[in-house]
Amino acid sequence: METRNERRLIVLALIVIAIYLSPLFILQENAHIRVHDNLDSNLGWYKVLARSGELFGGIHGVIPQIINGLLSRNAFGTEYSVIVWLYALFPTMVAYGFSQALTRVVAFFGMYLLLKTHLLPGVKWQQLNIATALAFALTPFWPSGMLSTLGMPLALWAFLNIRNGTGSLKDYLVLTFLPLYSSIVLGFFFFLTAMGIFWLVDVVRGKGWNFRFLLSILYMSFIYLLVEYRLVYSFLFKGEPNSRDEYFHAELPFWRAVRLTFKNYILGHTHVMTVHTLFILPATLIAIYFVYSKKLWKQEKVFVFLFAVNFILSLWYAFWFYEGWLPLTKKFHFMDTFNFARYHFLRPLVIYASFALALKIISLQGFSWAKTAKWLAVMQILLLGLFNDEIIYHKKPTVREFYAEELFGEIKEHIGLPQDAYRVASIGIHPVIAQYNGFYTLDTYNNFYPLSYKHQFRKIIEKELAKNKTIRKYFDKWGGRCYIFTAQLGKRYMIKKDSKRHLKDLQLNTAVFKQMGGRYIFSALPIDNAEENQLTLEKVFVSKLSAWKIYLYKTM
């Protein structure tokens, strides 16, 4: 039963979440949000998909607007994901705000229910549970991951209820609906295999077969297979080679893998940002000291287990890139095409559950330590407040400035042809900007596309790649960003309109570009030797509402 104080604290936590989200709803397109794997990709993809007429396209369907219609419809994920529908039905920033709100509210209640029911039951720990759940909900998660990591506490709560024999319809509803707002490859494949190991350990320890628990794991897995049928098809029926076939991960020497282990353990990872370094890590280290010094191993076995798992996940993440895997990856190709390093996506759940248990251990050490525990929780929440997108990304372009619809509308008018009648590519800006504005692009950023297209596109930038080892390795050994790379700019594709730089000694194979249908290049910088590259400057476009100045070049 909820107490009055508990309800007040929950309402207060929801108000904090609402304040945290308010810039998205107040500023809308004038808000600053994450660019990497967000504005530069997913948000544009949703818009392209909604406009393509291929939302319900068949498993052999393609997206006509990108790479000459060679991009598979399956590359844009399932139509049974709620996030796809949010962007299909609402303007970009309304959809983004709703998505953020839904994810953070579910994350809060999921973590709170997990702590309250299974890890820290009792009124005594109410404040710590709500504070930890609020902190978890404020983490700067990867937006298009949805509930792939932040939904794990709610799923674990449901699974533990079923495992303990107290499962009810609400638990199965959780396992049914979470797959509609999360991704199996961005979190839940790793979570479900962890649950499978959990069930197996129970069996080995003589706790019985617990078929209800096993069937619940299989049930959620089955729902994911239905929802993600496109992914399942692409995995089982591979078809022609794709860009992921040239992805090689096992290349780190031993000591660099060791260094990456500690970097990940201490600082975390951009796709699962936990912001745990300043307050959570010290709290868990203080707690493990008390466990060690007072011999609390049995009483705090869950905390000790999570403490160990946290480090093991960082170790696994780093050593997935260790060169010692090379003989196996050559023998079993799926080890390169599927990113098993992502078991570290379990870390947000592990770190924040550990934080709550650490605060409890610290609180039990006396009055002053109890105050310290509360302050650690408060400071973590305040720190996460400072990681609000509007603060972190205030020097980046706003959403309006990034997609620059007015500017690209002028370019479209100047060209004066139907957008499907010609192809474009960009230099110094992300191709998704042109895609968002309806242009048909030869360049793209996508997880997988035909390998033959990658090799054909490479001929355009062959001489530039030869001059710069970094971009050559980046393109050849991954190639997810099929961009017009230049040796001079390297991996910089956010060149703003105030830049005074010029592109010098550019060497593009414009003949191949034209052969592929390329007619225009949107360059963020003037090209000094445009004529040598068979390009002529048509016009320069600039706008107050755009972060970019576009030099429109046409092939001769």
Side-chain angles (χ1 to χ4, degrees):
M1 290 289 290
E2 280 187 4
T3 65
R4 183 180 295 178
N5 186 51
E6 183 181 15
R7 281 195 297 271
R8 283 211 314 262
L9 288 171
I10 288 172
V11 169
L12 179 62
L14 292 175
I15 290 170
V16 172
I17 292 172
I19 292 168
Y20 185 91
L21 292 170
S22 61
L24 296 177
F25 293 96
I26 294 167
L27 298 173
Q28 295 280 304
E29 287 194 326
N30 294 315
H32 296 83
I33 63 174
R34 175 185 173 125
V35 173
H36 178 60
D37 284 351
N38 195 37
L39 278 175
D40 70 352
S41 48
N42 296 78
L43 269 63
W45 298 345
Y46 298 134
K47 176 126 178 172
V48 168
L49 178 59
R51 195 172 49 211
S52 69
E54 289 291 327
L55 188 58
F56 291 102
I59 49 179
H60 297 295
V62 295
I63 305 296
Q65 195 186 331
I66 298 175
I67 63 171
N68 282 331
L70 294 174
L71 183 70
S72 169
R73 163 64 186 87
N74 297 345
F76 279 170
T78 178
E79 63 271 33
Y80 298 122
S81 175
V82 175
I83 198 167
V84 167
W85 282 99
L86 281 176
Y87 284 92
L89 296 172
F90 298 103
T92 295
M93 284 311 290
V94 174
Y96 191 82
F98 283 162
S99 178
Q100 285 274 322
L102 176 60
T103 304
R104 294 187 187 282
V105 169
V106 172
F108 169 75
F109 282 108
M111 180 58 81
Y112 180 56
L113 287 170
L114 175 65
L115 294 174
K116 176 188 175 182
T117 311
H118 298 291
L119 296 180
L120 285 176
V123 177
K124 183 177 181 180
W125 306 116
Q126 217 169 71
Q127 289 184 355
L128 284 185
N129 286 343
I130 291 173
T132 303
L134 174 58
F136 180 72
L138 296 181
T139 53
F141 71 99
W142 180 33
S144 292
M146 306 162 282
L147 288 166
S148 303
T149 53
L150 269 70
M152 287 181 187
L154 185 62
L156 182 56
W157 168 76
F159 276 129
L160 290 176
N161 291 341
I162 294 165
R163 174 180 177 261
N164 297 345
T166 58
S168 64
L169 178 62
K170 66 179 183 297
D171 300 302
Y172 288 96
L173 287 174
V174 164
L175 303 186
T176 303
F177 288 111
L178 269 176
L180 298 175
Y181 208 67
S182 59
S183 162
I184 193 166
V185 293
L186 298 175
F188 269 91
F189 169 84
F190 312 100
F191 178 83
L192 287 167
T193 55
M195 288 298 100
I197 293 167
F198 189 17
W199 172 82
L200 194 60
V201 168
D202 276 353
V203 173
V204 171
R205 291 172 65 196
K207 292 193 173 185
W209 288 88
N210 201 338
F211 286 110
R212 194 172 292 174
F213 181 29
L214 175 62
L215 288 172
S216 68
I217 298 168
L218 295 174
Y219 171 73
M220 192 181 197
S221 303
F222 178 69
I223 297 293
Y224 266 115
L225 293 179
L226 290 179
V227 170
E228 304 264 18
Y229 74 97
R230 293 181 182 277
L231 182 72
V232 174
Y233 179 86
S234 297
F235 188 77
L236 293 179
F237 304 99
K238 196 168 173 301
E240 68 171 304
N242 63 63
S243 57
R244 291 192 73 84
D245 289 321
E246 283 189 346
Y247 171 60
F248 304 105
H249 74 274
E251 58 179 18
L252 284 187
F254 179 80
W255 287 111
R256 280 192 62 195
V258 170
R259 189 175 71 180
L260 185 59
T261 300
F262 286 96
K263 182 184 176 184
N264 183 260
Y265 179 72
I266 295 167
L267 299 175
H269 187 278
T270 180
H271 285 142
V272 280
M273 286 183 71
T274 44
V275 194
H276 65 277
T277 312
L278 281 182
F279 300 112
I280 295 180
L281 185 57
T284 54
L285 293 174
I286 291 167
I288 202 73
Y289 168 75
F290 284 130
V291 169
Y292 169 77
S293 62
K294 302 198 172 184
K295 295 182 172 54
L296 302 172
W297 303 108
K298 280 190 178 178
Q299 299 94 308
E300 303 299 344
K301 61 185 177 185
V302 176
F303 170 72
V304 173
F305 171 73
L306 292 176
F307 185 88
V309 166
N310 185 24
F311 185 78
I312 290 165
L313 289 172
S314 286
L315 187 72
W316 172 261
Y317 162 74
F319 273 86
W320 180 249
F321 302 101
Y322 172 51
E323 60 191 5
W325 285 103
L326 210 52
L328 277 176
T329 61
K330 284 179 179 176
K331 195 171 184 181
F332 303 105
H333 185 55
F334 74 90
M335 292 179 69
D336 264 327
T337 57
F338 191 84
N339 190 355
F340 286 97
R342 285 181 178 159
Y343 272 101
H344 77 103
F345 279 20
L346 294 167
R347 289 191 74 217
L349 164 63
V350 171
I351 285 171
Y352 278 84
S354 299
F355 185 44
L357 293 172
L359 294 180
K360 181 206 79 170
I361 293 166
I362 292 168
S363 296
L364 292 173
Q365 307 312 311
F367 179 73
S368 61
W369 279 111
K371 282 177 70 177
T372 300
K374 285 181 181 176
W375 274 109
L376 283 167
V378 169
M379 294 304 288
Q380 179 63 21
I381 291 167
L382 291 174
L383 176 65
L384 288 162
L386 295 175
F387 271 76
N388 188 291
D389 280 4
E390 201 55 45
I391 298 171
I392 291 292
Y393 302 115
H394 73 280
K395 289 187 177 177
K396 300 288 185 186
T398 64
V399 177
R400 187 190 302 278
E401 290 169 337
F402 185 87
Y403 287 125
E405 290 181 81
E406 182 191 58
L407 184 80
F408 281 86
E410 289 177 22
I411 296 173
K412 177 188 169 185
E413 273 186 40
H414 173 81
I415 293 172
L417 295 168
Q419 285 177 300
D420 63 355
Y422 57 93
R423 302 293 180 265
V424 307
S426 302
I427 297 176
I429 61 167
H430 293 285
V432 77
I433 299 168
Q435 292 167 3
Y436 191 90
N437 287 286
F439 290 95
Y440 283 58
T441 70
L442 293 179
D443 47 355
T444 192
Y445 174 18
N446 282 106
N447 297 322
F448 69 94
Y449 58 93
L451 187 61
S452 57
Y453 186 87
K454 178 185 170 183
H455 291 164
Q456 187 183 17
F457 189 90
R458 192 189 192 280
K459 293 174 185 174
I460 300 171
I461 54 173
E462 190 170 22
K463 289 181 179 176
E464 290 297 310
L465 295 183
K467 293 187 275 186
N468 185 315
K469 185 182 175 183
T470 301
I471 56 171
R472 184 169 68 252
K473 183 179 172 185
Y474 190 59
F475 186 85
D476 289 346
K477 292 199 172 183
W478 180 52
R481 291 191 192 273
C482 188
Y483 286 19
I484 293 194
F485 287 108
T486 70
Q488 187 181 332
L489 296 180
K491 287 163 66 177
R492 288 189 291 277
Y493 11 78
M494 289 267 291
I495 310 295
K496 292 186 184 177
K497 61 186 174 186
D498 56 0
S499 175
K500 300 291 188 283
R501 301 178 73 182
H502 285 227
L503 278 171
K504 300 171 182 178
D505 304 318
L506 184 66
Q507 291 179 285
L508 299 180
N509 191 331
T510 322
V512 175
F513 180 70
K514 285 173 74 175
Q515 184 188 326
M516 293 171 73
R519 196 155 172 188
Y520 293 96
I521 286 181
F522 300 159
S523 179
L525 294 173
I527 301 171
D528 285 353
N529 61 334
E531 282 190 25
E532 287 176 30
N533 288 278
Q534 304 298 303
L535 297 170
T536 55
L537 180 63
E538 284 259 306
K539 191 176 176 183
V540 181
F541 295 84
V542 68
S543 163
K544 284 183 181 178
L545 300 178
S546 167
W548 331 110
K549 181 187 284 187
I550 298 299
Y551 296 82
L552 179 65
Y553 287 94
K554 187 177 180 181
T555 55
M556 289 180 182

